């Protein structure tokens, strides 16, 4: 409370007249405007004073002592103590808000000292001093407080205050009668004070930063113990601080001796004999008391030792008598239980550094043992405590693996080392700002204007791709091949003629075909590689169809608009260009903003925004659009926008059967409109998109009514105006029907048999007169408009309906192994059958059969040849043999069938091994690709023995080109995301060959572009899945009818070619060093589950790499000697883990955090491991410890310093600072050189075993021996306490526990056993060599006397210190205990012996037992 409320100062602020009238009537009448610890005191004179109440002292020691007394004493005694404390005139810290901490402690100590020094005077003074100038007295003597106390007084409840008030109204006779009661009360107060403050004292001994407070407190405790005649307590304090206390001898008050609790003694016994054998009396009562806070530090240490040494648990209570909050998590060893206890108590690494070195060793041992392979369901804070920040970040991103405590980011850091940077997920930049601005990543600029144009692929070059490809320029080449934002180069003579200009236009037209196909590949190449800012519009690169003439100084050439319709040519390519730009957005970016989508919406509809809508839908971002937004888009009546929006919405709501989306789709199918609906004329293009969209929306549902509708649409002529698009409409209906019943052909409910019969009618075209078919079709067509069926009389036009029906059956019975359906989809086995089946239908039959019989697909030559009918094999064997009579057979039909069967088998193989990078499948498909290339035009020598030659004689080149590119597409589907170099070279050859030979029509260029994009899918970070929905999406993308031009949508809508996005999955994984935040190479062991092709298998990869398919991935283990191991078990249960939508999961985000061991270089810095031989490097660096005879000017400047060497192995600032300060070569004396050599050895030990925290422990133990040796050999003794020796004793006890097997660790003890053994031997040598030790020990044992300390004599200080060392190290019993045993020996006439004394004093060392035996034996001699 502020000093103005002092009564005299308060009266001095008033007028003299007011003082006379109010001096005896001043009182507080009200308290107002209270805010935290501040309040207004309203006095009866109308004035108010703002007061600040100090809730706790600023001195931490004073606050600890007062709090300990509050928690350890009874409420009545504590209230009495408060009365004494607040009534003290010298309690300046209670009067002034800005009082110093030292004055607070002095005030507190004075109160206790008065009770000890002059009990009667202090008591009478306190009782008689009724007029005090303290704030407390001003309040306690107010009339209001007197009236309140008189009405609420309970005798004995508040001794101090009741005495004060009674003293105001009673006589001296009453005080005389209660004097004995007061003395008893004060003695009880002092005893409880001693116990409470001793608990604080023992707790402070476990904190290295509270040594000053410990020195202040021990003086006060000595005074209290001296007054209470607690000889054992005095001896206990004397052993800890032999130089700070006054001399004393054996007291005569030995009636009720008490042994002081000692945490160091309890911890040592706990390590030596187990928790059950440790004496619970060595624990202060306050530590065992539940609900105490001030001795929490000591309680935590006791509880950790208890758990480590086998204490039993009963909830939070341990058998040692203390409580411990244990964090949730599995544990199998006591060390793991200790770690969970440390986490539950929020005890971190920085707290561990506060403990004495020896005390911290067992706890560091527990952490070190658990560090390598901790359980997988621990809280993240536990992994931070272990120094495994990699596991902490992994488990923070997967909340299903554990029950997390209430830990925030700051609290996680609090359990780590003080110098650790704040933990945060490390993200690998993938934005334009992260692009590596090197010459190798830049394309050659044409000029300053065109060279600055964005091509949409700048962001591909980031730290991750740099780590994967290094100096490999594959990505640069892919970027060059897929760039459509710059003019293409046209090779012409320097002086062109008129004919040359026509040639330029022709060449530019062929190049434009290739340019318009590039967005297909660029969309796949940049798939999911960037996160956009929602405050910026999406940038779409330009689609440039112009050319440049290098021979004419890069003159620009544009297509002649009089010859070509440029706008019509660019319509759909611009759509695909926008799709490619939109596919760059990462699906893991999170929920896209509806505002951002509408922000990118143009004032007038265009194909660019239409493509963006499709891309966003494929990533699932269109769910944010409202139904109003959707119909506003539809009302624009823009063809491309409608197509993009419908497919995008269906992809976003895939498999949900959302009613509102379904209604919006059916609006665009006029054949499904009721008769009362207004007639609409919609392009067939939109109707085809609507059909596919319905299939995606109802995917896998087997919805009967939808299946009936789609079945009817296969055989119905579209209501559009383009009859040439009838096949495309039927194919879309077939794909849609297959999607709705995807893989459910055998278990779909409804008219499945009738539906299958109808589909086979569409395939075979036979006339069927079945009532079931009539009923089936009439129910679906009841309310439909009269639109014509694709029939000729009663026969179905199979040229239109067969492809869609075959595809529908293939998807309906996908992976079902249905022999019945396969038997009804035969491949022609006779020459007669070949005459009546279109060759492209044979291809579809082969694909359908293999998709149904999924498990029988094998990546072998024999399997492909088994797909070819015998009649076809025999027919193509004799190609090129002129002696063979080939006029009796239709060779063209045989060759056409052979070609289509082989291509169908290759496509099936590509789908079966999509994204697997199977080497056998790759070799086989590459072999057939080269085979078809050579059949078109021999270009290379290939190993195609056994395959028929001369196919080009009977098959047109266009068919062979289509077959070649379909095989290449299948090859790239298998190798998706791998960047396979051989395949990439083959694709480059195809791209250049087509342009040179004049066969650069749009379909083949689109196939090459898509193939390049698939090969580098998502910049190499994505690949394909083989799930049912993925296979369906890939089949739609790979449908074997390539378009003839940029606007060709007759047989297959070009927008469907982007549906491969639905088949992709991010299986790319890269490892990031959790300390540096940089991607690194790390070997990992991948385990895959058992499948029908192979048993459970494990293989090794080096990150960054692509993992196997998620459905078969079982576990990933970080292995290798340079990084800490971790195992990620993947056990999908009800819901597959990869569908959880958690973008922080390592297998969704593609980032796995690892932690490098100290002492190992990264694989980038040290690929072969030669630099990790740290012992050789350290041995070489030890030469720096030798004195140098050469001058600094002649020293070699190329030498590597120790700190530079250490910095290559660890970024730990403590290690680097230690190397700089303690391992330099500036030492000159022998002692400095010895210390430097020790530091080098310790540094090697800590670095090589990844225990950098042990540096502090080694130095502390070394310093303990150092000052003991210095004190022994010098005339002065610099040490004022023996706490370091007690810490060293616990370190020795820990070493014995490890040696005896009570504490186990596969890596051995965390401190070298030989080092601790040498320290122990050195200490015993010092103690045995101390002069006059026997005489001093005899005096101590006999009478408890210590060497005298007259005039602060140095020799006396040394003697006292050496004696305290001896007593502490050998655990000599107190003089009181020794005298008690001596009296018993005399009384019972017992013959003393070493064995008997060993039983009496079990904790005393054998050396001290011998001295005691000589002392007790002297009794027998005297007798």
């Amino acid at each position: 409370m502020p000093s103005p409320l002092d009564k005299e100062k308060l009266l001095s602020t008033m007028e003299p007249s007011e003082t006379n009238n109010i001096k005896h009537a001043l009182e507080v009448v009200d308290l107002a405007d209270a805010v935290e610890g501040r309040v207004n005191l309203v006095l009866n004179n109308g004035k108010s004073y703002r007061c600040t109440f100090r809730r706790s002292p600023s001195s931490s020691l004073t606050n600890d002592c007062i709090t300990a007394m509050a928690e350890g004493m009874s409420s009545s005694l504590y209230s009495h103590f408060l009365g004494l404390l607040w009534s003290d005139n010298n309690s300046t810290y209670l009067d002034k808000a800005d009082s110093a901490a030292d004055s607070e402690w002095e005030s507190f100590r004075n109160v206790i000292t008065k009770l000890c020094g002059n009990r009667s005077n202090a008591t009478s003074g306190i009782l008689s001093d009724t007029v005090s100038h303290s704030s407390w007295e001003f309040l306690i003597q107010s009339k209001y407080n007197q009236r309140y106390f008189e009405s609420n007084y309970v005798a004995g409840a508040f001794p101090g205050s009741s005495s004060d008030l009674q003293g105001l109204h009673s006589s001296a006779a009453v005080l005389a009668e209660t004097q004995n009661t007061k003395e008893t009360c004060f003695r009880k107060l002092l005893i409880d004070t001693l116990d409470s403050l001793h608990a604080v004292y023992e707790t402070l001994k476990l904190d290295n930063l509270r040594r000053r407070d410990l020195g202040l407190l021990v003086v006060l405790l000595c005074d209290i113990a001296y007054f209470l005649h607690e000889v054992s307590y005095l001896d206990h304090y004397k052993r800890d601080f032999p130089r700070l206390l006054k001399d004393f001898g054996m007291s005569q008050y030995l009636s009720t001796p008490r042994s002081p609790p000692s945490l160091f003694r309890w911890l040592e016994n706990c390590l030596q004999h187990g928790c059950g054998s440790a004496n619970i009396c060595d624990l202060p009562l306050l530590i065992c008391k539940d609900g105490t806070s001030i001795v929490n530090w000591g309680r935590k240490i006791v509880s950790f030792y208890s758990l480590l040494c086998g204490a039993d648990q009963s909830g939070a209570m341990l058998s040692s008598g203390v409580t411990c909050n244990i964090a949730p998590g599995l544990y199998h060893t006591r060390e793991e239980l200790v770690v969970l206890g440390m986490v539950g108590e929020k005890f971190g690494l920085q707290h561990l550094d506060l403990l004495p070195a020896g005390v911290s060793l067992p706890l560091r041992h527990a952490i070190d043992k658990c560090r390598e392979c901790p359980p997988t369901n621990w809280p993240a804070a536990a992994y931070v405590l272990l120094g495994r920040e990699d596991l902490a970040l992994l488990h923070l991103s997967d909340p299903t693996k554990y029950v997390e405590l209430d830990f925030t980011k700051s609290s996680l850091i609090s359990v780590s080392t003080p110098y650790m940077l704040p933990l945060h997920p490390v993200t690998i930049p993938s934005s334009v700002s992260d692009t590596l601005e090197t010459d190798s990543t830049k394309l050659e600029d044409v000029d300053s204007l065109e060279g600055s144009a964005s091509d949409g692929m700048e962001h591909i070059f980031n730290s991750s791709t740099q780590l994967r490809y290094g100096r490999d320029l594959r990505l640069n080449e892919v970027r060059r091949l897929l760039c459509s934002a710059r003019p293409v180069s046209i090779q012409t003579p320097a002086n062109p003629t008129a004919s040359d200009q026509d040639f330029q236009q022709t060449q530019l037209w062929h190049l434009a075909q290739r340019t318009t196909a590039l967005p297909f590949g660029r969309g796949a190449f940049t798939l999911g590689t960037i996160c956009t800012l929602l405050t910026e519009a999406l940038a779409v690169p330009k689609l440039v169809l112009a050319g440049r003439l290098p021979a004419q100084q890069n003159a620009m050439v544009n297509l002649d608009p009089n010859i070509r319709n440029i706008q019509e040519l660019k319509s759909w390519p611009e759509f695909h260009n926008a799709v490619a730009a939109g596919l760059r957005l990462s699906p893991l970016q999170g929920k896209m903003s509806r505002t951002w989508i509408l922000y990118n919406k143009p004032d007038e509809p265009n194909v660019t925004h239409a493509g963006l809508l499709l891309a966003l839908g494929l990533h699932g971002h269109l769910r944010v659009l409202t139904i109003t937004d959707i119909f506003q888009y539809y009302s624009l009546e823009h063809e491309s926008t409608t197509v993009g929006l419908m497919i995008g919405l269906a992809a976003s709501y895939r498999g949900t059967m959302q009613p509102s989306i379904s209604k919006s789709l059916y609006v665009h199918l006029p054949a499904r409109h009721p008769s009362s609906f207004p007639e609409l004329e919609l392009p067939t293009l939109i109707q085809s998109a609507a059909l596919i969209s319905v299939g995606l929306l109802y995917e896998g549902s087997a919805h009967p009514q939808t299946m009936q509708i789609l079945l009817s649409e296969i055989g119905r002529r579209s209501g559009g105006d383009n009859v040439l698009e009838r096949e495309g409409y039927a194919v879309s209906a077939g794909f849609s029907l297959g999607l709705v019943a995807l893989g459910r052909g055998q278990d779909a409910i409804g008219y499945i048999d009738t539906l299958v019969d109808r589909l086979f009618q569409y395939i075979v075209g036979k006339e069927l007169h079945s009532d079931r078919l009539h009923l089936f079709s009439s129910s679906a067509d009841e309310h439909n408009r009269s639109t014509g069926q694709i029939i000729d009389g009663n026969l179905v036009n199979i040229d239109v309906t067969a492809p869609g029906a075959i595809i529908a059956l293939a998807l309906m019975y996908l992976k079902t192994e249905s022999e019945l359906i396969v038997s009804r989809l035969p491949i022609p086995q006779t020459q007669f059958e070949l005459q009546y089946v279109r060759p492209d239908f044979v291809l579809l039959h082969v694909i359908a059969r293999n998709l149904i019989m999924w498990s029988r697909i094998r990546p072998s030559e024999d399997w492909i040849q088994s797909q070819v009918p015998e009649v076809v094999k025999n027919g193509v064997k004799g190609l090129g043999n002129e002696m063979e009579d080939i006029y009796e057979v239709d060779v063209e039909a045989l060759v056409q069938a052979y070609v289509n069967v082989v291509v169908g088998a290759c496509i099936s193989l590509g789908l079966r091994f999509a994204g697997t990078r199977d080497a056998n499948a790759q070799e086989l498909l590459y072999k057939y690709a080269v085979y078809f290339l050579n059949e078109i035009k021999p270009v290379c020598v290939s190993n195609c023995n056994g395959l028929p030659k001369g196919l080009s004689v009977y098959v047109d080149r266009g068919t062979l080109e289509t077959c070649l590119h379909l095989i290449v597409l299948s090859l790239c589907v298998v190798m998706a995301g791998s960047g396979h170099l051989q395949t990439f070279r083959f694709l480059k050859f195809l791209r250049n060959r087509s342009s040179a030979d004049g066969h650069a029509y749009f379909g083949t260029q689109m196939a090459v572009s898509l193939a390049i994009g698939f090969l580098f899918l998502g910049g190499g970070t994505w690949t394909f899945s083989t799930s049912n929905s993925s296979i369906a999406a890939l089949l739609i993308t790979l449908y074997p009818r390539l378009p003839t031009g940029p606007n060709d949508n007759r047989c297959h809508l070009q927008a469907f070619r982007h549906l491969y996005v639905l088949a992709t999955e991010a299986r790319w994984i890269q490892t990031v060093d959790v300390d540096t935040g940089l991607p690194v190479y790390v070997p990992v062991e991948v385990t895959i589950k058992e499948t029908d092709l192979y048993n459970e298998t494990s293989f090794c990869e080096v990150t960054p790499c692509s993992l196997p398919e998620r459905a078969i991935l079982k576990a990933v283990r970080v292995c290798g000697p340079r990084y800490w191991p971790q195992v990620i078990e993947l056990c999908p249960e009800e819901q597959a883990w990869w569908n959880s939508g958690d973008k922080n999961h390592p297998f969704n985000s593609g980032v796995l955090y690892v932690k490098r061991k100290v002492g190992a270089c990264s694989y980038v810095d040290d690929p072969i491991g030669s630099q990790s031989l740290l012992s050789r490097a350290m041995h070489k660096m030890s030469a720096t410890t030798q004195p140098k005879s050469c001058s600094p000017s002649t020293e070699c400047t190329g030498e590597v310093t120790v700190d530079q060497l250490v910095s290559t192995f660890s970024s730990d600032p403590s290690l680097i600072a230690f190397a700089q300060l303690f391992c330099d070569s500036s030492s000159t004396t022998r002692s400095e050189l010895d210390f430097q050599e020790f530091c080098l050895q310790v540094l090697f030990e800590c670095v090589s075993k990844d225990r950098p925290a042990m540096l502090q422990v080694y130095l502390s133990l070394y310093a303990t021996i150092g000052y003991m040796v210095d004190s022994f050999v010098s005339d002065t003794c610099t040490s004022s306490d023996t706490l370091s020796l007690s810490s060293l004793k616990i370190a020795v006890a820990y070493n014995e526990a490890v040696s005896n097997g009570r504490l186990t660790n596969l890596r051995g003890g965390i401190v070298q056993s030989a080092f601790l053994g040498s320290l122990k031997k050195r200490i015993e040598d010092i103690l045995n060599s101390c002069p006059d030790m026997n005489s001093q020990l005899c005096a101590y044992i006999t009478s408890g006397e210590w060497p005298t300390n007259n005039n602060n004599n140095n020799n006396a200080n040394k003697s006292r210190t050496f004696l305290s060392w001896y007593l502490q190290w050998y655990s000599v019993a107190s003089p009181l205990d020794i005298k008690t045993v001596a009296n018993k020996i005399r009384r019972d006439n017992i013959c003393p012996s070493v064995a008997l004394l060993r039983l009496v004093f079990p904790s005393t060392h054998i050396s001290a037992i011998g001295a005691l035996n000589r002392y007790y034996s002297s009794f027998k001699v005297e007798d």
Side-chain angles (χ1 to χ4, degrees), residues 1227-1414:
S1227 303
T1228 56
T1229 64
R1230 185 61 196 174
S1231 61
E1232 291 178 349
L1233 289 175
D1234 291 342
F1235 178 68
Q1236 183 182 350
E1237 183 67 23
F1238 170 77
C1239 290
L1240 281 172
Q1241 294 177 1
V1242 168
L1243 183 61
F1244 167 70
E1245 169 80 10
C1246 297
V1247 170
S1248 60
K1249 296 185 178 180
D1250 200 355
R1251 293 165 176 164
M1254 293 305 299
L1255 283 176
Q1256 173 182 338
V1257 176
Y1258 274 109
L1259 288 181
S1260 177
L1261 298 178
Y1262 185 88
T1264 300
I1265 289 295
Y1267 85 75
M1268 291 183 67
V1269 172
D1270 292 342
S1271 300
F1272 180 77
V1273 300
S1274 63
D1275 295 334
T1276 60
C1277 183
T1278 59
S1279 175
S1280 61
D1281 61 71
T1282 61
L1283 300 181
S1284 299
L1285 192 65
S1286 300
S1287 173
L1288 183 55
K1289 281 191 67 179
I1290 295 182
V1292 173
Y1294 159 76
N1295 187 44
E1296 294 175 354
V1298 173
S1299 301
N1300 298 333
R1302 287 190 294 273
L1303 297 179
T1304 60
N1305 192 343
L1306 297 178
R1307 303 173 63 194
I1310 58 176
V1311 176
Q1312 288 188 3
S1313 177
F1315 174 71
L1316 292 176
S1318 64
L1319 294 184
K1320 179 181 178 182
K1321 181 67 169 58
R1322 191 68 180 273
I1323 292 176
E1324 292 176 352
D1325 291 342
I1326 293 175
L1327 296 180
N1328 294 332
S1329 303
C1330 289
D1332 301 328
M1333 178 58 68
N1334 292 332
S1335 60
Q1336 294 171 7
L1337 182 62
C1338 182
Y1340 174 82
I1341 292 175
T1342 305
S1343 59
E1345 294 181 356
W1346 289 69
T1348 59
N1349 185 14
N1350 298 325
N1351 300 323
N1352 197 23
N1353 185 271
N1354 287 332
N1355 291 330
N1357 286 336
K1358 288 184 60 175
S1359 299
R1360 296 158 70 91
T1361 301
F1362 291 163
L1363 178 60
S1364 66
W1365 290 351
Y1366 189 95
L1367 300 177
Q1368 289 280 29
W1369 185 256
Y1370 290 135
S1371 301
V1372 179
S1374 67
L1376 183 61
D1377 294 336
I1378 294 174
K1379 192 171 186 63
T1380 301
V1381 173
N1383 294 334
K1384 186 173 181 62
I1385 290 177
R1386 287 176 174 176
R1387 184 177 66 250
D1388 298 338
N1389 197 23
I1390 299 174
C1391 181
S1393 66
V1394 173
L1396 176 63
L1397 296 178
R1398 185 66 173 171
L1399 294 176
V1400 176
F1401 303 109
S1403 61
T1404 303
H1405 193 270
I1406 189 64
S1407 299
I1409 290 291
L1412 292 176
N1413 185 50
R1414 290 190 296 271

Side-chain angles (χ1 to χ4, degrees), residues 322-341:
V322 298
T323 60
C324 183
N325 297 320
I326 300 177
L330 294 177
Y331 60 89
H332 305 93
T333 63
R334 291 178 297 176
E335 288 80 5
E336 292 177 354
L337 183 60
V338 171
V339 173
L340 290 177

Side-chain angles (χ1 to χ4, degrees), residues 538 540 570-583 597 600-619 622 625 633-634 636-649 685-686 689 1053 1055-1056 1058:
L538 181 66
V540 178
K570 294 181 63 175
S571 176
W572 279 102
E574 289 284 2
F575 175 87
H576 302 310
N577 191 43
V579 174
L583 291 179
I597 297 176
N600 283 273
K601 181 180 179 181
D603 297 333
E604 295 294 333
N606 56 41
V607 293
T608 300
H609 189 66
L612 177 60
L613 289 177
L614 175 58
L616 294 177
L618 292 175
H619 280 320
L622 290 190
L625 293 181
Y633 274 114
Y634 286 150
L636 300 176
E637 298 183 3
H638 187 258
E639 183 178 282
S640 301
T641 301
T642 302
V643 170
L645 182 63
M646 285 193 300
I647 301 176
L649 285 173
L685 197 67
I686 293 180
L1053 190 60
F1056 299 163
H1058 297 288

Side-chain angles (χ1 to χ4, degrees), residues 430-431 459 528-534 584-590:
S430 59
S431 60
H459 58 281
T529 55
I530 193 174
C531 293
T532 186
L533 295 176
L534 298 184
R584 292 181 301 172
L585 302 179
S586 173
L588 296 178
Q589 180 173 351

Side-chain angles (χ1 to χ4, degrees), residues 766 827-838 842 869 871-872 888-891 893-894 897:
K766 294 181 180 180
I827 299 175
Q829 301 294 326
T830 65
Q831 296 181 14
F832 178 79
E833 293 177 351
L834 289 174
Q835 299 295 325
Y836 293 95
V837 178
R838 276 174 42 179
V842 175
V871 63
V872 177
E888 296 181 1
V889 298
D890 188 352
V891 180
L894 294 175

Side-chain angles (χ1 to χ4, degrees), residues 606-805:
N606 56 41
V607 293
T608 300
H609 189 66
L612 177 60
L613 289 177
L614 175 58
L616 294 177
L618 292 175
H619 280 320
H621 293 315
L622 290 190
R623 284 176 174 259
V624 298
L625 293 181
T626 64
I627 194 65
T628 304
D629 299 329
I630 295 172
F631 278 97
Q632 284 180 351
Y633 274 114
Y634 286 150
S635 65
L636 300 176
E637 298 183 3
H638 187 258
E639 183 178 282
S640 301
T641 301
T642 302
V643 170
L645 182 63
M646 285 193 300
I647 301 176
L649 285 173
S652 296
Y653 289 94
R654 190 179 182 190
T656 63
M657 298 189 297
Q658 179 70 19
S660 59
I661 305 300
S662 177
K663 293 176 183 178
S664 70
L665 297 178
Y666 276 120
V667 167
H668 297 87
L669 294 176
R672 296 297 103 196
H673 294 172
S675 57
S676 60
F677 201 82
E679 185 174 353
L680 294 177
E681 290 292 338
L682 293 175
T684 306
L685 197 67
I686 293 180
Q687 297 182 48
S688 299
L691 286 174
I692 282 286
S693 302
V694 170
L696 291 173
L697 186 66
Y698 285 84
E699 181 183 302
S701 65
H703 191 264
Q705 185 177 3
T706 303
M707 293 169 62
Q708 295 171 14
I709 293 173
L710 295 174
L711 178 64
S712 299
E713 294 307 310
I714 295 177
R716 185 182 306 281
R717 180 182 295 118
S718 67
D721 54 355
N722 190 351
V723 296
L724 298 178
E725 297 176 351
R726 286 168 23 179
E727 181 180 345
Y729 183 84
V731 169
S732 298
F735 274 119
S736 184
L737 177 58
L739 288 170
V740 174
L742 185 62
R744 300 189 59 185
Q746 294 181 333
D747 62 349
I749 59 175
Y751 303 96
I752 189 64
D753 294 334
T754 306
L755 184 145
V756 171
D757 292 341
R758 183 70 173 270
L759 288 175
F760 278 110
Q761 181 191 12
Y762 288 149
I763 296 172
V764 180
K766 294 181 180 180
E767 181 180 0
L768 296 177
H769 301 282
S770 174
D771 293 337
R772 290 191 307 168
L773 293 179
H774 176 71
L775 293 174
F776 184 81
S777 60
S778 62
S779 62
D781 302 339
E782 180 179 358
H783 298 292
N784 297 341
R785 291 188 176 275
S786 57
T787 53
Q789 292 285 341
I790 307 175
I791 59 175
D792 295 326
N794 291 328
L795 298 178
V796 177
N797 186 351
I798 61 173
D799 290 331
V800 176
T801 61

Side-chain angles (χ1 to χ4, degrees), residues 143 319 481 527 545 600 621 782 817 989 1033 1063 1340 1366:
K143 294 181 180 180
S319 58
L481 296 178
L527 177 68
L545 301 183
N600 283 273
H621 293 315
E782 180 179 358
E817 313 291 332
F989 175 80
Y1340 174 82
Y1366 189 95

Side-chain angles (χ1 to χ4, degrees), residues 257-277:
R258 294 195 307 159
S259 177
S262 174
L263 287 183
F264 274 107
R265 184 167 59 239
W266 187 91
L267 297 177
E268 183 182 2
N269 291 334
C270 192
L271 288 175
Q272 290 177 340
H273 310 293
C275 180
S277 301

